[in-house]
Amino acid sequence: MIDLLPVPQDRFHCPCGAAELVVDGFSLPGMMPLARAGCPACGRRFACHLHVGFCSSASLMVEEASGEIANSMAPDWYAWELQQMWQSRGRPAPAVEIRGQPIADGRDVVIVNTLDPTYGHNIARMFAVPSVRSFNPDAAIVVIASRFMAWLTPDCADQIWVVDAPLRELHLANDTVDAMAAELARRAARLRYSPLFYSLAVRIEDFTKIDPFDATSMDDVLPARMAFNWREDRCWTQAGRPLPPDQAVAEQLRLTTLLFETLRREISDLEVTVTGYGRSGSFPGWVEDLRILEQTDEAEREWVRRYARSHLVMGMHGSHMHLPSAHAAGGIEIVPTAYWATAAETWEWVNHNSAQHALQRYLKIAHSTSVSDVVSIAFMQLRRMQAGAAFRVMSRLPDAQARERLAVLAHQAIQGGYPLQVTDKDGNPI
Amino acid sequence: MTVLERLSGDPVWCPFCAGTRLPQGQAVIPGTYALFETTCPTCGRQLLAHYPIGYAAGSGLVLDPATGEVHSNESNRWYATNLASAWGGRRERPVRIRRERFREPRRPLLVNAIDLMFGHCLQKLFDLPRLRDEHPDRDLIVLVQDFARWLVPDGAAEIWTVDIALREGREWFDDLARQLGELLATLPPAAIEGGLGRRGIDIAAFTRVEPFDRGRPDALAAPRLTLIWRSDRCWTLGITPAEGAQAIAEQAMLMSSLAMTLRQAMPQLAIAVAGIGRDGALPDWLEDHRIASGGKIDELAWLDLYRSSHVVLGVHGSNMLLPAAHAATAIELVPPGKWQHVGDTYDFVRGSDGLQALRNFRFLPTATSPRDVAAVVQVMIRRAMVDAYNAQLAALTGDDERRRFRATYGHVLAYPGL
């Protein structure tokens, strides 16, 4: 936790190499927390990123006069975002709405800033809020969140600053946030900036306020339910072949339809819901299509309610799969080659599972996987999750005959899936 | 007559007379199955009921010797089918039991680890620490096949080792049942129990070999990949998997291709291959630790290889359990029909958390392209090295020492890109 008052308690060295910078103030123009500092040796001034988040062990600063990045040991992309932010100062600031309780003067306040132009990083920062609360039970917690992320703010936060900016612009300067932070600094007895990123014990229901899948009755075993989280900027194509965007979307529509229809032939009571952003094409009438173009909190809540009832959620790998996977009984992500390095980032919620359960519930398969394999794995995983639910319900039944009745009803699910072969229109396996 | 006390499980009911509980009689243990003789007090039928343990727990398995029919509930048909088949093909050959007694057993608790699958044997053995903890007043007697004897942890009062091969593990041996009946009769009143390893275990308690040590200096020096070979279930890419010699040739080609791709990207990577079967041609620069089928296995040499590996990679199966349990990370290539078993018997990861497990173990379809497999291998190597880096950095106290360490090994933090 970094104290911001009277000036940020953080240390920086001047690129001139002759002196440590003298910190004399701070600013928070949106995503980037900055210490304002000058060099007693060379006289230059710098805006230095506090040692938090992606800079927790790396220096990163911008020279105020030239706007040039200096002393950067941060990842290149992050340094680029800082430079972009610096250059965007003075632009019309996106609106900021205050939700929650007023913060009384003289309080000890902790700021948790979740702004980031990457959705997964927003979630990762949001995951820290309950930990900040548990470490600071008496402090007022102010969460800075984007409009689409605000609904995930845990109830333990006192106030939310809701920034109405598109995701891709969340790293840019926001003078309104800066002014609000300065005002807060004037009124707070103590103001701190949370360095936390993630938390090892994330309860997803603290964020969505919706309990994840649990098997308590037969309704949780049958019928088979799955959800597919759709996106159009990263599409499932046959064996991962690269296609122009519109063709990739069309192919994804064809493959998902093939997936649903093939599974439905094996599981006659299968229920499928498609969620996500983008409304290209249409699915067979029995598929529930909840895709949208514009985010609303209620639409996302409705999706999460579906995930929490699903035995299986599927989709391309990405941060859009966090909430589906965290709520469903099991998940399958299709991972493009370039994304393996981050395939399990921001999955801290998975720690409520034992290690072995996590391995059994969540599968990540390569984009080069054949369509037949994807469909087969989905079938087997769906049945496995149903069988797991059946055994869990049975384990809660004291009466052996009741267990046997349930086993009979869930017989097909317990028997499990098997490999399926999907063919193209010429009958060739794909 | 030896009646083994049951320590857990539902009562067993007569399949012909609703609501009639079957009383326990003489224990009958002809192999992996553990049954008792019983007579239904209602219909008078003489039956053999399975103790509700191991894979038979909660199954209500009852064998009618008059017809050979096995009754069970819906959830466990495969086990019932095995039992019926074993009864129908009862073997008459003599079975050798080697009895090792380490001390006089107090209130003996018999654990039957005989099985037809190596993974199942392991799962039964993995339950031993739990049994010891939950029944400290009892001494364990472990019944195990020859090939698994070395994996029985220390502490049992007796180990009874039988010359039943893995492939014979589902069969019924009358001679074994007879001999065990006699042996049990010589013991104080005994019980029978056995689960399927429902909690974390320390693999070194079983193999006597510590797994990958992140604190070891060479954990950061040179990465090592060990490929796990088997000839009876091969890594093949086709939607309709190849079989026999064609599958072996394809596996050799894919492993060679993977090794060459990785060697190009990471020249410092040491690559070894271990496993049973020497019938595939691999590049001569691979360290080849395979043995021919039927050859003498040096388990300890292989374990030493696994524990020095940043990644082990092979086709899914119980052959991957010991490699995965000892290496830093593991990748299993899963054939189309095996997805419902991934993660089974991974009891050795239960000590770690879910996220750590997801990062350290990957299951990929066998049809995954070698390029994707290579990408995942690189990520797993980085994962192992970053873990080692963090562990070793955390152990340093001096600022200068830490700075030097960072300067020397900071390169492992870079993300790979194929």
Side-chain angles (χ1 to χ4, degrees), chain A residues 25 38 58 65 72-73 121 154 156 171 180 205 215 223 259 304 310 327 365:
Chain A
S72 177
M73 292 186 69
H121 295 172
C156 63
H171 63 300
M180 290 169 70
E205 59 270 39
L259 167 74
V304 172
S310 295
H327 286 85
I365 59 178

Side-chain angles (χ1 to χ4, degrees), chain A residues 337 340-341 344-345 347 350-351 355-356 359-360 364 366 368-369 373 377 380 384 403-404 408 411 419 421 430, chain B residues 10 73-74 239-240 336 339-340 342-346 349-350 352-355 357 359 363 367-369 372 376 415:
Chain A
T337 307
W340 283 107
E345 294 302 320
W347 274 57
V350 86
N351 280 335
Q356 193 171 23
L359 291 175
Q360 291 168 335
K364 292 172 190 283
S368 58
T369 304
D373 269 345
I377 294 165
M380 284 183 267
R384 191 181 200 192
R403 289 201 293 273
E404 178 64 10
V408 171
H411 174 73
Q421 197 165 77
I430 56 173
Chain B
D10 291 327
N73 66 25
E74 288 292 328
I239 290 170
T240 308
W339 283 92
Q340 63 270 46
V342 298
D344 287 353
T345 323
Y346 265 55
V349 298
R350 283 200 170 128
S352 61
D353 59 45
L355 185 57
R359 288 174 174 166
F363 302 98
T368 306
S369 72
D372 268 335
V376 179
Y415 282 100

Side-chain angles (χ1 to χ4, degrees), chain B residues 13-303:
Chain B
W13 308 91
C14 177
F16 305 100
C17 311
T20 304
R21 187 173 170 162
L22 294 172
Q24 272 185 236
Q26 168 76 36
V28 179
I29 302 174
T32 187
Y33 317 101
L35 307 110
F36 58 83
E37 294 174 349
T38 183
T39 302
C40 174
T42 303
C43 67
R45 280 188 176 85
Q46 293 190 325
L47 303 165
L48 286 166
H50 204 296
Y51 288 102
I53 57 173
Y55 288 98
S59 304
L61 275 166
V62 178
L63 165 66
D64 183 353
T67 62
E69 199 176 350
V70 175
H71 301 264
S72 80
N73 66 25
E74 288 292 328
S75 61
N76 208 354
R77 286 283 177 218
W78 68 273
Y79 195 87
T81 305
N82 281 359
L83 175 56
S85 159
W87 171 260
R90 293 188 297 284
R91 300 277 300 272
E92 291 176 359
R93 81 156 171 89
V95 174
R96 188 225 67 227
I97 302 179
R98 191 174 71 241
R99 182 179 185 182
E100 295 172 271
R101 168 169 277 202
F102 305 101
R103 63 179 176 277
E104 184 82 27
R106 302 161 303 147
R107 307 187 68 210
L109 175 55
L110 179 67
V111 180
N112 181 3
I114 296 174
D115 206 290
L116 72 152
M117 283 192 258
F118 181 60
H120 290 188
C121 292
L122 273 183
Q123 228 169 0
K124 292 170 176 178
L125 293 176
F126 286 169
D127 198 41
L128 294 174
R130 175 188 73 85
L131 293 172
R132 209 162 37 216
D133 290 350
E134 291 183 5
H135 305 285
D137 57 330
R138 293 183 177 274
D139 278 330
L140 300 182
I141 296 177
V142 184
L143 177 61
V144 69
Q145 289 147 284
D146 282 334
F147 69 86
R149 165 62 187 87
W150 70 285
L151 288 164
V152 179
D154 296 336
E158 297 198 21
I159 300 174
W160 300 349
T161 309
V162 297
D163 62 343
I164 296 175
L166 198 56
R167 65 179 176 280
E168 299 176 303
R170 86 168 75 186
E171 299 194 28
W172 181 297
F173 295 91
D174 279 329
D175 183 54
L176 178 65
R178 181 189 58 75
Q179 288 191 67
L180 287 176
E182 290 171 7
L183 265 178
L184 290 168
T186 66
L187 297 173
I192 187 164
E193 173 64 309
L196 301 172
R198 294 283 181 232
R199 64 175 197 181
I201 55 104
D202 167 17
I203 193 66
F206 297 84
T207 61
R208 284 90 178 167
V209 172
E210 291 294 334
F212 184 87
D213 178 4
R214 296 179 306 165
R216 213 177 52 188
D218 61 354
L220 282 169
R224 172 178 285 279
L225 162 70
T226 298
L227 303 167
I228 308 300
W229 179 275
R230 63 187 283 180
S231 301
D232 59 336
R233 187 184 295 165
C234 291
W235 175 17
T236 61
L237 291 182
I239 290 170
T240 308
E243 290 179 354
Q246 190 190 345
I248 290 169
E250 184 173 347
Q251 173 165 264
M253 186 271 289
L254 290 171
M255 283 190 174
S256 303
S257 166
L258 173 70
M260 286 189 279
T261 305
L262 286 166
R263 199 188 197 199
Q264 213 165 24
M266 308 176 77
Q268 76 281 25
L269 177 66
I271 306 178
V273 56
I276 299 173
R278 292 192 58 91
D279 28 13
L282 297 170
D284 57 8
W285 47 266
L286 283 185
E287 298 171 32
D288 197 340
H289 298 265
R290 294 177 297 166
I291 58 150
S293 182
K296 185 169 169 47
I297 298 172
D298 186 346
E299 297 280 6
L300 291 179
W302 281 354
L303 287 176

Side-chain angles (χ1 to χ4, degrees), chain A residues 171-232:
Chain A
H171 63 300
L172 299 181
N174 187 320
D175 293 342
T176 308
V177 170
D178 203 13
M180 290 169 70
E183 168 65 13
L184 193 59
R186 277 191 288 277
R187 296 194 295 106
R190 187 181 185 191
L191 182 61
R192 287 175 292 166
Y193 193 89
S194 166
L196 286 180
F197 221 59
Y198 313 121
S199 163
L200 286 178
V202 171
R203 283 165 35 94
I204 198 67
E205 59 270 39
D206 289 345
F207 302 88
T208 60
K209 293 86 179 175
I210 295 170
D211 289 333
F213 183 92
D214 188 17
T216 58
S217 73
M218 196 60 196
D219 289 345
D220 301 314
V221 179
L222 299 173
R225 288 180 288 266
M226 74 173 282
F228 189 96
N229 197 6
W230 178 271
R231 62 189 287 175
E232 297 190 348

